[in-house]
Amino acid sequence: MGRYDFRPLRVHQTASQLLAAERIRHVPSWHEVIGTIPPAQTLVRTQPLQHQERSRRQRTTKPSKLFQPQRVVYEEDSLRKDFFGDHPWELARPRVVLENDGRDAERKDWSLVSQPDRPIDGERSVLVPAHMVMPLTGKSVVQRQMFLLHGNPGKGHTPDPNMTPGKAYDQARKEFYEMRLQQDIERRIAREEAMATGAYFGKTTLQIGMEMEDKIFEEWKAWASAQVTLQEQRRAAMYTGVDNETAALPEGEQEDESALGEVDSSIPAQGQEALGGAATRP
C-alpha cells in the first residue's frame, strides 16, 4: 500500500461494488450518509495557529503612567521611620488606634510633648473625657518635631528659623525621655504604696523568662554531663584495651566474655575435626 493507507477513503466505493456484485445482501446504515457527506481528502492534519509570547525586553514603547496611582508621601513618614528605627521597642507597647475622625492630633497643642489633657496616672485619667485621651507614644514625638519645624500659625506659634530636623528630633526625643521617666517613677511609687498596704503582685515577665531560661539551662547541663561521662568512659576503654562492647556489658557478663576468650583458642573452627578437645573442669 505504500506509505499511506487509502482504504478508509474507499469504504463507500468498496461497499457500492460489493452491493452491485450482490456479495452484500443488506445495505449498511452508513452507506447513504457517507455518500452524502464523504470524508476529507486531506491526509495531513493542519496545526492551529500558535500564539507567540512576546518578551518584555522587546517592548519598544514605554507604558503610560496616566492611569497609575501616584505615591502618597507625607513628611511624618520619614520622621516616624527615624524614631521607630532608634526605638524599636516602642512598637511593642499596646495602644489604641481608634480615632474620632483621624484628625485628633490637629486639635492638640504640641508646644509641649505632655498634653494638658493627657492622663499620666490612674487618678488624673478619671477627670479626662475618653475622647480627649491621647497617650504618650512615638506619634507624640513626631507631632512635636513637626511643631518645632513648622510651628502653628493658626494659633500664633511661629517656627524658629534656625531649627533643623536634627535639632527638632533631639529636643522632642529628650522631652519624650523625661515623660517616660516620670511615668516609670509614678508606677514604682504606686507599686510600693500598694505593697505597703498589703497588696501582692505576681511575677513579672522578666522573672518568668529568667525562670524558663534557668530550667532549660539545668536540663542542658544534665545532658552535657552525661555526654562528657560517656566520652571519658569510651576514651578510657580505648587506652586500656577493652573494647566498647565489653565495656558496655555488666560485670557478670564481662567475666563470662573473658572466660570464653581464654577457651576460644582451643575450640576448633567450623569444618575441622576436634583432635583432643580442651581440658576443662566444671
Side-chain angles (χ1 to χ4, degrees), residues 88-105:
W89 284 105
E90 285 295 325
L91 295 173
R93 294 180 179 269
R95 56 172 301 185
V96 179
V97 297
L98 180 63
E99 296 183 354
N100 293 333
D101 56 356
R103 306 180 63 181
D104 296 347

Side-chain angles (χ1 to χ4, degrees), residues 139-151:
K139 184 177 180 180
S140 304
V141 179
V142 174
Q143 295 297 331
R144 173 60 175 162
Q145 189 176 357
M146 290 288 295
F147 178 84
L148 294 175
L149 291 174
H150 305 288

Side-chain angles (χ1 to χ4, degrees), residues 233-249:
Q233 292 177 356
R234 291 178 178 176
R235 191 180 299 107
M238 187 192 312
Y239 286 104
T240 54
V242 181
D243 55 352
N244 295 336
E245 297 181 357
T246 307
L249 296 175

